[in-house]
Amino acid sequence: LSQGADAERVAGALAGLGLWTRRLVGAHGVALAIREHSAAVDISRIESLPGVDQVFRAEPRCERLAAQAGRPVEISGAVFGGGDPVLLAGPCSAESKAQVREAAAVVAARGARFLRGGAYKPRTSPYAFRGHGRQALTWLRDAADAEGLGVVTEVLSEGDVQAVAEVADLVQIGSRNMQNYALLAAVGRTGRPALLKRGAGATTDAWLLAGEHILAAGAEAVIFCERGIRSFDSRTRNLLDLGAVALLKHVHRQPVVVDPSHAVGRRDLIQPLSCAAIAAGADGLLLEVHPRPCEAMSDGPQALPPHMWEDLVDALGLGLVKV
Amino acid sequence: LSQGADAERVAGALAGLGLWTRRLVGAHGVALAIREHSAAVDISRIESLPGVDQVFRAEPRCERLAAQAGRPVEISGAVFGGGDPVLLAGPCSAESKAQVREAAAVVAARGARFLRGGAYKPRTSPYAFRGHGRQALTWLRDAADAEGLGVVTEVLSEGDVQAVAEVADLVQIGSRNMQNYALLAAVGRTGRPALLKRGAGATTDAWLLAGEHILAAGAEAVIFCERGIRSFDSRTRNLLDLGAVALLKHVHRQPVVVDPSHAVGRRDLIQPLSCAAIAAGADGLLLEVHPRPCEAMSDGPQALPPHMWEDLVDALGLGLVKV
Amino acid sequence: LSQGADAERVAGALAGLGLWTRRLVGAHGVALAIREHSAAVDISRIESLPGVDQVFRAEPRCERLAAQAGRPVEISGAVFGGGDPVLLAGPCSAESKAQVREAAAVVAARGARFLRGGAYKPRTSPYAFRGHGRQALTWLRDAADAEGLGVVTEVLSEGDVQAVAEVADLVQIGSRNMQNYALLAAVGRTGRPALLKRGAGATTDAWLLAGEHILAAGAEAVIFCERGIRSFDSRTRNLLDLGAVALLKHVHRQPVVVDPSHAVGRRDLIQPLSCAAIAAGADGLLLEVHPRPCEAMSDGPQALPPHMWEDLVDALGLGLVKV
Amino acid sequence: LSQGADAERVAGALAGLGLWTRRLVGAHGVALAIREHSAAVDISRIESLPGVDQVFRAEPRCERLAAQAGRPVEISGAVFGGGDPVLLAGPCSAESKAQVREAAAVVAARGARFLRGGAYKPRTSPYAFRGHGRQALTWLRDAADAEGLGVVTEVLSEGDVQAVAEVADLVQIGSRNMQNYALLAAVGRTGRPALLKRGAGATTDAWLLAGEHILAAGAEAVIFCERGIRSFDSRTRNLLDLGAVALLKHVHRQPVVVDPSHAVGRRDLIQPLSCAAIAAGADGLLLEVHPRPCEAMSDGPQALPPHMWEDLVDALGLGLVKV
């Protein structure tokens, strides 16, 4: 602040702009520190306030994200950030050629633009089913082509990046690998667009910087995907953080989708939270849909059966206009 | 499970119902434990599955909440759970007679049904402004009456419960006091409806049981209010948990509102998260609105100025239909 | 920083002092913001670094705590901060005159200085046992007197403060009431020393300020008690935060004790974590000890039976010298 | 429970063993569910209680960890779990040949058994210093050999596993990669012992299972390393979870060390928390020590300068005997 400025009045003016401040005292003057949960405000509006001498701020660290900000991203014909939510749907795992075909037909029939499905599955136990690998990639590509869908599928290992990138229109990096920088770079180098899930214990800053890692390595685009974070309540599988979605969309202006299936893990809450995600600003939804959840090899309890998928699409179509 | 049942098949059938299970082995048989983040399912559907011998479950502990479940709650003419979201808006603190009157006029003009405002303020520091007390209660009542609004205001001390209950149509119990059982009982004994904010570190179970405390003491109704919980990200003030809102509304069928102002603390995210809250199932919104946030004695940075309040109401009106 | 200073070199010098910094850029110069998880450093050491123009800092908000800092607190003959850990032990609830007498004898025999036991119990369910009230206060006082112990017991309601303060040498404010400011003030007004448990979702700053509330109202002293905070792991009841204990002891120099019984809830981990608490800087331990845990009306699973209590005292005596 | 058993009495007997239970009611009987934060108890003690019909439990999923349980692990002459804490110390990054040599001399002089230092650094920003790579591996090996130390260093990429395993006696997998299963398997396949840091958002169950991944792939041993988890308090860098350390050591009987440098990030708290870690059951400490923290290329603020390292070793030697 300027010498002689009335700190309380300046703090009030900053509050008027939506800024939380903390008063700091130095030997020769007073400063106001702006807290992190303040609204985003153009710096010139602060500089022009009476009593403000100089505004200090952190230098931007995310040039590639800045370049991507606010621009719709088109991937295999679907536009993220173009107004209509993009639906990416399908089973947790690609279990068989027939299952993948059936799932693709179910989701395509109601407007999904991408088929999701895991060929490589990260599993907490080393003894659990880990996916059908390259074979499953073929199933996904064929089924997607038959229905006019894009493919989004996860890659777990640097060694599989090339194979996955050849098949997938959107290469998924899972929650557990959000800070696996070697994998981020390997995916980035393929140039393909990436879908970056948020780590369950990751701050929004670390998530954005992980996206910058991918872009810096050469990816065409990064789509962020919120899938729930760790919390202390056991009634939902994870904690869906729609504040982070609103932050990424409305402040950082990045393309962002939501995976309500993993976020809550409860089939009975997926519909209202899908609607909420879109209202918060999500550009799309990543959803687990399985022709027969009772036969699913993984995540059956959170997969939507076809009739619930249809109801969900209806609810989205009728009930919500993006804000 | 029955002797000889195929545990994997039963687990699949339960997954088909949306239930997560964990296989347990005993000396003479196998059991499946249902995990807490499973979908709510009628017990008879489980009992009728082949291979299921007996279903054990926790006994209900919340009789009063059960009695309230699914019933719209009418308070001073506004209906929580009746389809239209109820808006409760006004300043953080009741600062003067004139400020309260002005705020009441602003919020009433765009459809708020309740005037909010603090006469008694809980403050982290003992040296901060703590509200104008009984005098402020009068300001609130008069201003609300002039505009045809109800009053919702917080009580902090058992000794003030009577005075607050005489003025408030809805007695607010703040986040810090969610498990102040002496206060819950004192409020309950007045018979008035209560607005129960969730504690920042409270599980949904503890929150529901706190509501049961109030009802058991005699309250006519309890409205739950989600206002953000603790998390590890500093870019929003708290973490808005809309999964909990969906859980309370769609599973427990309780009246629930959301306070996006405290949840995120950022004025620039309040509109999208208000829309998201309604989409998730909230019956109403508790919002901080101040005629001139730069003059606010508390929480100015998160208060909406009149034009943003108007935009928000427009966004809600145009953009959303409850699901 | 001074004009022309080498910001990187200054940041290095600050790192040399244990300070984390973030570089901020203004129109006419550079500033370094010191992050909150930095070591505590005397401000004059920063001011004397070459390149530092002016140091701004938050003004202290806790005058009463500052006055208490670093001074041993003597309560009924026991000294918190005097070198030897103070043991406060006894049952969760005061269940009967005989049980209290028996527990007092067990804990006194191995060096406890305070008898703990609940006359008023905060319970998550309104239908659970809530304590024997004033009658139990008499049991506690009589049993403590017979064994030469002090009494520490919790108060839940402003209306009971007077009765509890007459009996207790140390008035406990429970975790759920850490921010019940009306209760903090009522306890403070009695002048008695208070034991302030940390709220399960409370930051260390909020905890310290709650202590300031009590002192500002007139309490002779405040002893802080860490009892575990919320986290995402279900294998311990809560998460014991010994970093907070070290912070309060070694940075803020406040008297602090640890309640490992509630922190982990597992009898098999109480001994190692008790030793760890003392090593981290705790001035004492609050422990649940019950003559026969299988008969306990509350918290039996985490209560130590007499032989484990004896082993714990032996382990503390043999194994640890305070650092 | 048996037909006709008195559920309350059985629950009491289980509480007597340290077990928390929840009463479940079925059509033909009552069951008691044992909660996850209960003490570990031999199943035969439960089965022999009157009123208990059958005990169901989850099948063990970690055979390799079970085989490792309770056995001291010797690596390049140092024994984890042999009674004396093993010190692993050195700089965050291997910055130059001279710095590494100097650091090795400092830590060896006071009893460290392993030199730590990063050749490959995971960095939140893609534009930060990422380590000197293979060259730095040579510096580490040479300096360690000169001082008779082992080497522990992190590997980030599957492609570097071979090179790191040739140099390191203990291959570190960092916190961000705890669930990078491709990397876990690649490290395991080398047969080398691994040091597995806990993810900042990882449950103890997921951490143990990640260790099982490594062992299942062929590693000789896994040493677990607690380094702090995410929490809501900003006064320490992370939250040190010594309850998890006690759990791994005293219940799962796994070798476990603690990294207090990353856990708190504050140099002024490292000594008391190191002592606390040992008291909680840690078999060793991983510490950042730098000859001149003001010159450190990363993590300088949390690195101990030589005199604080010496004080720490003295404090450990004088003040603590393992419990």
Side-chain angles (χ1 to χ4, degrees):
Chain A
L1 304 186
S2 317
Q3 289 294 104
D6 177 342
E8 215 166 312
R9 183 184 298 265
V10 180
L14 292 170
L17 297 175
L19 302 177
W20 295 88
T21 54
R22 190 179 279 157
R23 178 190 164 94
L24 304 177
V25 178
H28 317 303
V30 170
L32 293 171
I34 294 175
R35 306 186 66 177
E36 293 195 323
H37 59 272
S38 295
V41 167
D42 193 86
I43 197 167
S44 64
R45 295 182 64 188
I46 305 175
E47 288 172 331
S48 65
L49 290 177
V52 171
D53 174 34
Q54 195 175 172
V55 182
F56 293 92
R57 60 169 172 176
E59 287 171 294
R61 296 179 296 171
C62 293
E63 291 164 37
R64 316 282 170 144
L65 285 177
Q68 179 179 277
R71 290 168 42 185
V73 175
E74 183 177 337
I75 302 172
S76 57
V79 182
F80 294 84
D84 285 324
V86 177
L87 300 180
L88 311 93
C92 176
S93 302
E95 297 168 6
S96 71
K97 189 170 179 172
Q99 175 244 23
V100 173
R101 285 299 295 270
E102 195 176 351
V106 166
V107 304
R110 299 302 282 251
R113 302 300 300 269
F114 284 82
L115 175 63
R116 61 152 291 161
Y120 302 96
K121 299 301 304 172
R123 300 305 295 272
T124 306
S125 165
Y127 310 120
F129 168 65
R130 302 215 214 169
H132 289 296
R134 300 207 174 197
Q135 189 181 17
L137 292 176
T138 316
W139 301 338
L140 288 165
R141 187 69 268 169
D142 291 350
D145 287 345
E147 304 287 349
L149 300 172
V151 166
V152 54
T153 193
E154 180 171 358
V155 64
L156 293 181
S157 164
E158 296 165 62
D160 297 322
V161 165
Q162 212 45 54
V164 171
E166 277 164 25
V167 162
D169 302 283
L170 187 52
V171 179
Q172 180 175 326
I173 292 161
S175 180
R176 295 168 173 91
N177 284 311
M178 190 201 89
Q179 293 191 304
N180 174 351
Y181 298 124
L183 186 65
L184 301 191
V187 169
R189 282 192 297 268
T190 68
R192 307 296 288 171
L195 181 88
L196 178 64
K197 287 200 159 189
R198 180 179 182 187
T203 61
T204 47
D205 281 0
W207 187 23
L208 288 164
L209 280 162
E212 182 80 4
H213 269 271
I214 301 173
L215 292 173
E220 188 187 318
V222 170
I223 312 288
F224 293 88
C225 178
E226 160 69 22
R227 45 74 75 200
I229 57 172
R230 289 272 180 228
S231 189
F232 50 77
D233 198 277
S234 52
R235 296 292 174 182
T236 52
R237 190 176 180 189
N238 290 289
L239 184 97
L240 177 60
D241 182 4
L242 290 183
V245 172
L247 184 74
L248 260 71
K249 189 68 201 168
H250 298 290
V251 175
H252 297 284
R253 296 185 302 136
Q254 296 297 322
V256 59
V257 302
V258 169
D259 171 355
S261 304
H262 284 88
V264 292
R266 293 179 67 128
R267 193 185 292 169
D268 53 358
L269 299 182
I270 288 174
Q271 182 175 314
L273 293 172
S274 293
C275 296
I278 300 301
D283 296 309
L285 298 169
L286 184 69
L287 289 157
E288 291 195 349
V289 175
H290 195 288
R292 283 170 301 283
C294 57
E295 295 174 6
M297 297 176 77
S298 54
D299 279 358
Q302 74 195 20
L304 297 176
H307 73 278
M308 290 183 77
W309 154 251
E310 288 158 18
D311 289 350
L312 170 60
V313 175
D314 289 346
L316 289 168
L318 289 175
L320 284 162
V321 175
K322 286 204 60 186
V323 288
Chain B
L1 303 186
S2 316
Q3 288 296 103
D6 177 341
E8 215 166 313
R9 183 183 297 265
V10 181
L14 292 170
L17 297 174
L19 302 177
W20 295 90
T21 53
R22 189 179 278 156
R23 178 189 163 94
L24 304 177
V25 178
H28 316 305
V30 169
L32 292 171
I34 294 174
R35 304 187 66 178
E36 294 195 325
H37 58 271
S38 295
V41 167
D42 194 86
I43 197 167
S44 63
R45 296 181 63 187
I46 306 175
E47 287 172 331
S48 64
L49 291 176
V52 171
D53 174 33
Q54 196 175 171
V55 183
F56 292 92
R57 61 169 171 175
E59 287 171 294
R61 295 179 296 170
C62 294
E63 292 165 36
R64 316 283 170 144
L65 285 177
Q68 179 180 279
R71 291 166 43 183
V73 175
E74 183 177 338
I75 303 172
S76 58
V79 182
F80 294 84
D84 286 323
V86 177
L87 301 179
L88 312 93
C92 175
S93 302
E95 298 168 6
S96 71
K97 189 169 179 173
Q99 175 243 23
V100 173
R101 283 301 293 272
E102 194 177 351
V106 166
V107 304
R110 298 303 284 250
R113 303 300 300 268
F114 284 82
L115 175 64
R116 62 151 290 159
Y120 302 96
K121 300 300 306 172
R123 299 306 294 272
T124 305
S125 164
Y127 310 120
F129 169 64
R130 302 216 214 167
H132 289 297
R134 300 208 174 197
Q135 188 181 15
L137 291 177
T138 315
W139 300 338
L140 289 164
R141 187 70 268 168
D142 291 349
D145 287 346
E147 303 287 349
L149 300 172
V151 166
V152 54
T153 193
E154 180 172 358
V155 64
L156 293 182
S157 163
E158 297 165 62
D160 297 322
V161 165
Q162 211 47 52
V164 171
E166 276 163 25
V167 162
D169 302 284
L170 187 52
V171 179
Q172 180 177 326
I173 293 162
S175 181
R176 295 169 173 90
N177 284 309
M178 190 201 89
Q179 293 190 305
N180 173 352
Y181 299 124
L183 185 66
L184 301 191
V187 169
R189 281 192 298 268
T190 68
R192 306 296 286 170
L195 182 89
L196 179 64
K197 287 201 158 186
R198 181 179 181 187
T203 62
T204 48
D205 281 359
W207 188 23
L208 288 165
L209 280 161
E212 182 81 3
H213 269 271
I214 301 172
L215 292 172
E220 190 187 315
V222 169
I223 312 288
F224 292 88
C225 179
E226 160 69 22
R227 46 75 74 200
I229 58 173
R230 288 274 179 225
S231 189
F232 50 78
D233 197 277
S234 53
R235 296 292 175 183
T236 52
R237 189 175 182 189
N238 291 289
L239 184 95
L240 177 60
D241 182 3
L242 290 183
V245 172
L247 184 74
L248 260 71
K249 189 67 201 171
H250 297 290
V251 174
H252 297 284
R253 298 185 300 136
Q254 296 297 321
V256 60
V257 302
V258 168
D259 171 355
S261 305
H262 284 87
V264 291
R266 293 178 66 127
R267 195 186 290 169
D268 52 358
L269 299 182
I270 288 175
Q271 181 175 315
L273 293 171
S274 293
C275 296
I278 299 302
D283 297 309
L285 298 168
L286 184 69
L287 290 157
E288 290 194 348
V289 175
H290 194 288
R292 282 171 302 282
C294 57
E295 296 174 5
M297 296 177 76
S298 55
D299 279 358
Q302 74 194 19
L304 297 176
H307 74 277
M308 290 184 76
W309 154 252
E310 287 159 18
D311 288 349
L312 170 59
V313 175
D314 289 346
L316 289 169
L318 289 175
L320 284 162
V321 176
K322 287 203 58 185
V323 289
Chain C
L1 303 186
S2 316
Q3 288 294 104
D6 177 341
E8 215 166 311
R9 183 184 298 265
V10 180
L14 292 170
L17 298 175
L19 302 178
W20 295 89
T21 53
R22 189 178 281 154
R23 180 190 161 94
L24 304 178
V25 178
H28 316 304
V30 170
L32 293 171
I34 295 175
R35 306 185 64 179
E36 294 197 323
H37 59 272
S38 295
V41 167
D42 193 86
I43 197 167
S44 64
R45 295 181 66 187
I46 306 175
E47 287 171 332
S48 64
L49 291 176
V52 171
D53 174 33
Q54 195 175 176
V55 183
F56 292 92
R57 61 170 172 175
E59 288 171 294
R61 295 178 297 171
C62 293
E63 292 166 35
R64 316 282 170 144
L65 285 177
Q68 179 179 279
R71 291 167 43 184
V73 175
E74 184 177 336
I75 302 171
S76 58
V79 182
F80 294 85
D84 287 324
V86 177
L87 300 180
L88 311 94
C92 176
S93 301
E95 297 168 5
S96 71
K97 189 169 179 173
Q99 174 245 22
V100 174
R101 283 301 293 270
E102 195 176 353
V106 165
V107 304
R110 298 304 283 253
R113 302 300 300 271
F114 284 82
L115 175 65
R116 61 152 291 160
Y120 302 95
K121 301 299 306 171
R123 299 307 294 274
T124 306
S125 164
Y127 310 119
F129 168 64
R130 302 216 214 168
H132 288 296
R134 300 207 173 195
Q135 189 181 15
L137 291 176
T138 315
W139 301 338
L140 288 165
R141 187 70 266 170
D142 291 350
D145 287 346
E147 304 288 348
L149 300 172
V151 166
V152 54
T153 194
E154 180 171 358
V155 63
L156 293 182
S157 164
E158 296 165 63
D160 297 321
V161 165
Q162 211 47 53
V164 171
E166 275 163 25
V167 161
D169 301 285
L170 188 50
V171 179
Q172 178 176 325
I173 292 161
S175 181
R176 294 170 174 89
N177 283 309
M178 191 200 89
Q179 292 190 306
N180 173 352
Y181 298 124
L183 185 65
L184 301 190
V187 168
R189 282 192 298 268
T190 68
R192 307 296 288 170
L195 181 88
L196 178 64
K197 288 201 157 187
R198 180 179 181 187
T203 61
T204 48
D205 280 359
W207 189 22
L208 288 164
L209 280 161
E212 182 81 2
H213 269 271
I214 301 173
L215 292 172
E220 189 188 315
V222 169
I223 312 288
F224 292 87
C225 179
E226 160 68 23
R227 45 74 74 198
I229 57 173
R230 288 274 179 227
S231 188
F232 50 77
D233 197 276
S234 53
R235 296 292 174 182
T236 51
R237 189 175 181 190
N238 290 290
L239 184 96
L240 176 59
D241 182 4
L242 290 183
V245 171
L247 184 74
L248 261 71
K249 190 65 200 171
H250 298 291
V251 175
H252 297 284
R253 298 185 302 137
Q254 296 297 321
V256 60
V257 301
V258 169
D259 171 355
S261 305
H262 283 87
V264 290
R266 293 178 67 128
R267 196 186 288 169
D268 54 358
L269 299 182
I270 288 174
Q271 181 175 315
L273 293 172
S274 292
C275 296
I278 299 302
D283 297 310
L285 297 169
L286 184 70
L287 290 156
E288 290 196 348
V289 175
H290 195 287
R292 284 171 302 283
C294 58
E295 295 174 6
M297 297 175 76
S298 54
D299 278 357
Q302 74 195 22
L304 297 176
H307 73 278
M308 290 186 76
W309 155 250
E310 289 158 16
D311 288 350
L312 170 59
V313 175
D314 289 347
L316 289 169
L318 290 175
L320 283 164
V321 175
K322 287 203 58 186
V323 289
Chain D
L1 302 185
S2 317
Q3 289 294 103
D6 177 342
E8 214 166 314
R9 184 183 297 265
V10 179
L14 292 170
L17 297 174
L19 302 177
W20 295 89
T21 53
R22 191 178 278 156
R23 180 190 162 95
L24 304 178
V25 179
H28 316 305
V30 170
L32 293 171
I34 295 175
R35 305 184 65 177
E36 295 196 323
H37 59 272
S38 295
V41 168
D42 194 87
I43 198 168
S44 64
R45 295 182 65 189
I46 306 175
E47 287 172 332
S48 66
L49 291 177
V52 171
D53 174 33
Q54 196 175 174
V55 182
F56 292 92
R57 61 170 172 175
E59 287 170 295
R61 295 179 296 171
C62 294
E63 291 164 37
R64 316 280 170 145
L65 285 178
Q68 178 179 281
R71 291 169 41 185
V73 175
E74 184 178 336
I75 302 171
S76 58
V79 183
F80 293 84
D84 285 325
V86 178
L87 301 180
L88 311 94
C92 176
S93 302
E95 297 167 7
S96 71
K97 189 170 179 173
Q99 175 244 23
V100 172
R101 283 301 292 272
E102 194 176 353
V106 166
V107 304
R110 299 304 284 251
R113 303 299 302 270
F114 285 82
L115 175 64
R116 60 152 290 161
Y120 301 95
K121 301 300 306 172
R123 300 306 294 273
T124 306
S125 164
Y127 309 119
F129 169 64
R130 303 216 213 170
H132 289 295
R134 299 206 176 198
Q135 188 182 19
L137 292 176
T138 316
W139 301 337
L140 288 165
R141 186 71 267 168
D142 291 348
D145 287 346
E147 304 286 349
L149 300 172
V151 167
V152 54
T153 193
E154 180 171 358
V155 63
L156 293 181
S157 163
E158 297 165 63
D160 297 321
V161 165
Q162 211 48 52
V164 171
E166 276 163 26
V167 161
D169 303 283
L170 187 52
V171 179
Q172 179 176 325
I173 292 161
S175 179
R176 294 170 174 90
N177 283 310
M178 191 200 88
Q179 293 190 305
N180 174 352
Y181 298 125
L183 186 65
L184 301 190
V187 169
R189 282 192 298 267
T190 69
R192 307 295 288 167
L195 181 89
L196 178 64
K197 288 202 158 187
R198 180 180 182 187
T203 61
T204 48
D205 281 359
W207 189 22
L208 288 164
L209 280 161
E212 183 81 3
H213 270 271
I214 300 173
L215 292 172
E220 188 188 317
V222 169
I223 312 288
F224 292 88
C225 179
E226 160 68 22
R227 46 75 74 202
I229 57 173
R230 288 273 180 228
S231 188
F232 50 78
D233 197 277
S234 53
R235 296 291 175 183
T236 52
R237 189 174 180 190
N238 290 291
L239 185 96
L240 176 60
D241 182 4
L242 290 183
V245 172
L247 184 74
L248 259 71
K249 189 68 199 169
H250 298 290
V251 174
H252 297 283
R253 297 185 302 137
Q254 296 297 322
V256 60
V257 301
V258 168
D259 172 354
S261 304
H262 283 88
V264 292
R266 293 178 65 128
R267 194 185 290 169
D268 53 357
L269 299 182
I270 289 175
Q271 182 175 313
L273 293 172
S274 292
C275 297
I278 300 300
D283 296 310
L285 297 170
L286 184 70
L287 290 156
E288 290 194 349
V289 176
H290 195 287
R292 283 170 303 282
C294 56
E295 297 174 6
M297 296 177 76
S298 54
D299 278 359
Q302 74 195 19
L304 296 176
H307 73 278
M308 290 185 76
W309 154 251
E310 289 159 17
D311 289 350
L312 171 59
V313 175
D314 290 346
L316 289 169
L318 290 175
L320 283 163
V321 175
K322 287 203 56 186
V323 290

